[in-house]
Amino acid sequence: MMDRLAAGSALLVCVLLAPISAFAQASIVGAVKDSSGAVLPGVTVEAASPALIEKVRSAVSDGTGRYRIENLQPGPYTVTFTLPGFSIVKREGIELTGSFVATVNGEMKVGTLEETITVTGETPIVDVQSTARQRVLDKQVLDALPSGRTMAALGGLTPGVTASNQDVGGQLGDGVSAGGLRVRGVGDSRMLMGGVTTNTSYRVLTGAYNLAAYQEVVVDTGGIGAEQEEGGVRVNIIPRDGGNTFSGTSFFAFANKSTAGHNLTQSLKDRGLRAPDSLKQILDINPGFGGPIKRDKIWFNGAVRYARAWNYVPTFFNKNAGNANVWTYEEDLARGAASNEGTIRNFTGRLTWQATQKHKFGVTYDPSYSCECPRQLTARFSPEANAINYVITYPNRNIVAQWTAPVTSRILLESSIVSRHSTAARAIASNGKATSLPRDGGVVDAVNPYFSASPVPLVLVLEQSTGFSYRGGPNARISTNNLLYWRSAASYITGTHAFKVGAILGRVPNDDYTFTLDSPMEFRFNNGVPNRITLNATPFREVTNLDADHSVFVQDRWTAKRLTLTGGLRYSFLRIRYPDTVIGPGAFTPNRNIVIAGTNGATWHDLSPRSSLAYDMFGNGKTAVKVSLNHYLGAQDRSTVFGADASPVGRLITSTTRAWNDANRNFAPDCDLVNPAANGECGAMANTAFGSTQAGRAYDTDTLRGWNKRVGNWQFAAGVQHEILPRISMDVSYWRTWFDNMAVIDSRALNATDYDEFSLTAPRDPRLPGGGGYAITGFSDLKPAKFGIPGDEYVTFTKNYGTQYEHWNGVDITVNARAWRGLLVQGGTSTERKSTNNCDVAAKAPEVGIAGTTVLNAGTGATTVGITSTLPASMPLEFCHVPGTFLTQVKLLGAYTMPRIDVLVSASVQSLPGPEITAQYVATSAEVARSLGRPLSGNTPNVTVNLVRPRSMYADRINQLDLRISKILRFGRNRTTAGIDIYNALNSSSVLSLNNAFASWQQPQSILPARFVKLVLQQDF
């Protein structure tokens, strides 16, 4: 009775607790037969490993002779088969990683239990039951890799994964600069700690800074089951638990500019690159230690890390920064190139407690301090114009707690909770510390860190001809997030079935305060001549409470002979709420002092089916045919159009533009800027609702309420995995991704007849297709009578306008050779193509193709479906259908330890498509008038147009080779590895980004950093 009560109580706790996924759950499965081939039910199968604090997990074969042991930690295992009347069979050398399903069959012979038959064979390398695609980087791989010790850098080494930013040796650091990852067309990259999400927004891989605290990194790229909501890349870091033996590791790495070479070639100089991307300093100190507090009962593990990633970028300080009387940018060559500088301080501690034979608890505490001071500084900015990316994230802490209970050999309960609190403050306070929210209606104490405070607010200037910004800092933001998720699951396991049901409860409140750093105005110049003003109605506050992110899932994996079928269904409920918000006055809204009433945002119910098939083709566990069809939801947070943008504050018009004719060249708008009508030197406001309480955007209620309304994607994959040699497998697969519930931002105040169409002739240029000179048709300009009216943006589904699609198709070929006689090889190729068509939408809503309008990303690229952006250049209607180009990437990594001399040699090779080339041409009003028959509306001096069909032109490929050479020194149980890493060993100067402004067209803006040597020392004891 007490056992039943305990089990019932545990199940209740399990239902009440839970984060968004479990640990990486490896499994051992198989069938047991006698020497005649007859199945043997009732066999006790035990899996023993030093990775298990409980030492052994067990199961009993069912009536078909099959058994299954789930939820196993990564590590080495020995499997033992026991049945009275038969000799004991023991299978050694089984290696489990990630969520790999290892098939271990047993053949038992008649005998006594005193007899033990030990079988030694190669560990299985083909997973014949699961269709999940993942790469596992265990400690052996992590110790051998010449790579930055960041999650984005490690995940980016996976074939098929595209990194938004190319890292070389960890120069990008651990913060937002490292960027996100895309796979199979989906950019919803997520970071998980022991299977629990830590993302709050922006889909970048941040928040896990301490590699010495983790035993392996698992990169999931496809075939994800019902336990996860989104597709895309999942980087799951598995924490170290400690062990029954005290052990530790210590990692040290150092490099600076004196260990780096030079790769700024004359050709790059001739193309306009003034300075290269190059190393300033890398420092990484990361010791960790763990062991038993009480053997077989309580384990601990702790690690600390201090790291710097500082690198020079191809831009210089501005000699005129802080000078209110000067409107030009002048390079300060004496100070040298400016730099991005990221610094991390972190502690990660974990405690594991085997409370009883059945119940295990684990708690991780992970606080950190991050200063990206600055980040994301590029050749497009002078440092003072990038001050909003001077970011201090503190406090920033994660707390993760888990409970698992294999109640019987068939029932497994698990539960976990994750809490994350973080505050990211932009710019700095006058005392040099992080900015903070103002009190009692005051203003933020914030200064531009690149010049002394000026009595005259300095205005940011965007030079239209080059796309370069300088002189002042734009709007900045202070963001606070409080993530909390609970997850619980119960599994019922037999030899032929693995049934799991689970529930997730979550919330992510987000508070954003936007303020003006320097001036609430921004100017645009063209070749030094002012032509446009941007006005900002700051400050304002947006509170986006994702107060319900709940899910229930059910799935079953059923094995019948050689066939394994997996089916699942996930129900997701998401609700966003916005509280009452007070907005005070601003420079251009002096009389504003209002309370914006709170409201409910999106409230969605979604069902996502998951299905897969795996077939052991020859029944020997060496060849598997795999097929999967799954539906995933798009990641939802404050950054999407249904997040902060949909709040009552987010719907207000807080920014507008107006044409400016600075006839007297005093660089001061001689007009009444608060007056929305044309006056003095200023044209009319582009949107007369600026600064008012009139909402500038409305939402189709069909997009905000109901079932299956949330943006999502379908993924289909089919392939074959085959063991070509012992411990070596090859995988060939075709995949296709397509998106559903895509949305568009239209203007209800306008329709297609409110626009006039015009064409342009591309200039003659040998770099353009056919040498240029071709006609481009289908550009649109708003009729003068309609200019300046409130746009009344309307968010609705694209299906209401016709057909819009985005498809991705690709083929992946990968090879995995597990460590064998000192050799390790992983890698492969991935070829993919993105195809889009929005012709129906563009024909009925021409504004979606006009430069400067707010649009929704129809697809991914470096971002995700549903993110708003400003269209940099007008797209003609003839570019509405883009079939795309097949692009191929190659990624390989290998390591070999030379016997006898214990010298490790490893390498990582990447060959990637070059950056896409567009051509953003500034067409004057006079040029346009030749076809349009009139000047551009609103006295607009020019319009930026794209001359090249998207995804048709690319720069040269990016090739990167990284090497490691190290000597292993052994002293009993202790091991010291001393060596060097050589990054960009061939000293390639591949171009990473180009200037697409036609006046500076294809001028390199960043290149691979030059070859550099990093000293590496690691001790394991």
Side-chain angles (χ1 to χ4, degrees), residues 11 57 405-413 490-493:
L11 181 59
R57 293 280 304 282
V407 179
T408 70
S409 62
R410 293 193 172 188
I411 298 176
L412 171 67
L413 305 179
S491 301
Y492 180 74
I493 304 159

Side-chain angles (χ1 to χ4, degrees), residues 322-325 447 451-458 471 518:
N323 189 339
N325 299 315
V447 297
F451 52 73
S452 301
S454 170
V456 179
L458 295 179
R471 198 174 184 273
D518 291 318

Side-chain angles (χ1 to χ4, degrees), residues 87 93 120 309 347 356 499 562 579 822 883 923 960:
S87 299
T120 302
F347 164 77
T356 68
F499 177 81
R562 290 185 281 171
Q960 179 179 336

Side-chain angles (χ1 to χ4, degrees), residues 358-379:
K358 300 294 186 181
H359 298 279
K360 181 173 72 173
F361 298 86
V363 178
T364 300
Y365 179 62
D366 178 12
S368 61
Y369 167 90
S370 168
C371 182
E372 297 175 271
C373 304
R375 69 188 185 196
Q376 297 177 318
L377 178 61
T378 69

Side-chain angles (χ1 to χ4, degrees), residues 870-986:
T870 300
L871 196 66
S874 291
M875 287 288 181
L877 190 59
E878 68 174 87
F879 290 173
C880 64
H881 175 221
V882 183
T885 303
F886 278 107
L887 302 175
T888 298
Q889 59 172 242
V890 180
K891 297 180 181 180
L892 295 169
L893 61 90
Y896 179 64
T897 301
M898 301 179 187
R900 298 183 181 178
I901 62 174
D902 261 354
V903 172
L904 170 68
V905 179
S906 61
S908 170
V909 178
Q910 299 181 71
S911 179
L912 311 172
E916 181 185 354
I917 297 174
T918 62
Q920 297 168 9
Y921 176 72
V922 178
T924 65
S925 183
E927 285 182 89
V928 172
R930 296 169 194 160
S931 169
L932 186 60
R934 61 169 174 81
L936 292 167
S937 60
N939 295 319
T940 304
N942 56 55
V943 61
T944 303
V945 299
N946 193 8
L947 304 177
V948 175
R949 184 178 294 275
R951 301 190 303 281
S952 63
M953 293 180 64
Y954 293 86
D956 293 338
R957 294 185 66 83
I958 300 168
N959 298 305
Q960 179 179 336
L961 170 65
D962 302 326
L963 301 173
R964 171 172 290 182
I965 303 172
S966 55
K967 170 63 178 173
I968 302 171
L969 304 172
R970 305 179 192 273
F971 307 95
R973 291 180 54 248
N974 302 330
R975 165 176 157 153
T976 299
T977 304
I980 59 171
D981 289 354
I982 306 173
Y983 293 101
N984 189 13
L986 300 181

Side-chain angles (χ1 to χ4, degrees), residues 161-439:
V161 173
T162 299
S164 57
N165 299 318
Q166 184 66 16
D167 185 76
V168 179
Q171 281 187 281
L172 295 180
D174 297 79
V176 171
S177 295
L181 304 174
R182 188 197 77 223
V183 67
R184 296 185 173 183
V186 180
D188 295 332
S189 51
R190 288 288 191 183
M191 171 70 69
L192 301 99
M193 297 180 65
V196 180
T197 185
T198 62
N199 287 63
T200 54
S201 64
Y202 291 113
R203 300 166 183 84
V204 291
L205 295 172
T206 62
Y209 303 122
N210 200 329
L211 206 57
Y214 317 127
Q215 58 178 314
E216 72 177 24
V217 177
V218 182
V219 184
D220 292 311
T221 58
I224 302 171
E227 293 182 76
Q228 292 287 345
E229 189 165 74
E230 303 100 355
V233 179
R234 294 288 174 277
V235 178
N236 188 15
I237 49 178
I238 311 303
R240 295 177 186 264
D241 281 339
N244 276 327
T245 304
F246 289 106
S247 63
T249 184
S250 179
F251 179 86
F252 171 82
F254 176 78
N256 64 12
K257 59 184 179 182
S258 65
T259 68
H262 303 277
N263 64 344
L264 182 58
T265 65
Q266 188 59 48
S267 173
L268 291 169
K269 292 179 181 178
D270 295 341
R271 292 172 61 187
L273 185 63
R274 300 296 307 278
D277 297 80
S278 60
L279 174 67
K280 185 175 183 179
Q281 185 185 95
I282 289 178
L283 176 64
D284 197 339
I285 304 172
N286 192 193
F289 181 73
I293 295 176
K294 184 176 182 181
R295 290 179 61 86
D296 301 327
K297 195 74 173 178
I298 304 176
W299 293 352
F300 78 93
N301 191 81
V304 297
R305 184 172 182 233
Y306 178 83
R308 292 179 180 175
W310 297 356
N311 57 92
Y312 295 108
V313 293
T315 194
F316 293 89
F317 292 96
N318 183 3
K319 277 187 178 181
N320 300 324
N323 189 339
N325 299 315
V326 180
W327 292 90
T328 57
Y329 166 76
E330 184 180 357
E331 294 178 342
D332 190 349
L333 299 177
R335 294 181 63 181
S339 59
N340 286 312
E341 299 185 0
T343 302
I344 297 288
R345 298 197 300 264
N346 175 268
F347 164 77
T348 301
R350 180 170 177 82
L351 196 66
T352 304
W353 175 36
Q354 189 72 39
T356 68
Q357 186 177 2
K358 300 294 186 181
H359 298 279
K360 181 173 72 173
F361 298 86
V363 178
T364 300
Y365 179 62
D366 178 12
S368 61
Y369 167 90
S370 168
C371 182
E372 297 175 271
C373 304
R375 69 188 185 196
Q376 297 177 318
L377 178 61
T378 69
R380 296 175 53 247
F381 302 93
S382 66
E384 73 275 8
N386 189 58
I388 62 167
N389 281 315
Y390 197 101
V391 185
I392 297 174
T393 304
Y394 182 81
N396 185 21
R397 63 112 180 97
N398 297 303
I399 299 175
V400 181
Q402 288 111 352
W403 165 70
T404 58
V407 179
T408 70
S409 62
R410 293 193 172 188
I411 298 176
L412 171 67
L413 305 179
E414 52 187 308
S415 183
S416 46
I417 184 171
V418 60
S419 170
R420 181 180 184 185
H421 172 73
S422 65
T423 296
R426 276 80 173 176
I428 58 172
S430 56
N431 61 5
K433 297 182 180 181
T435 55
S436 58
L437 292 173
R439 296 181 179 178

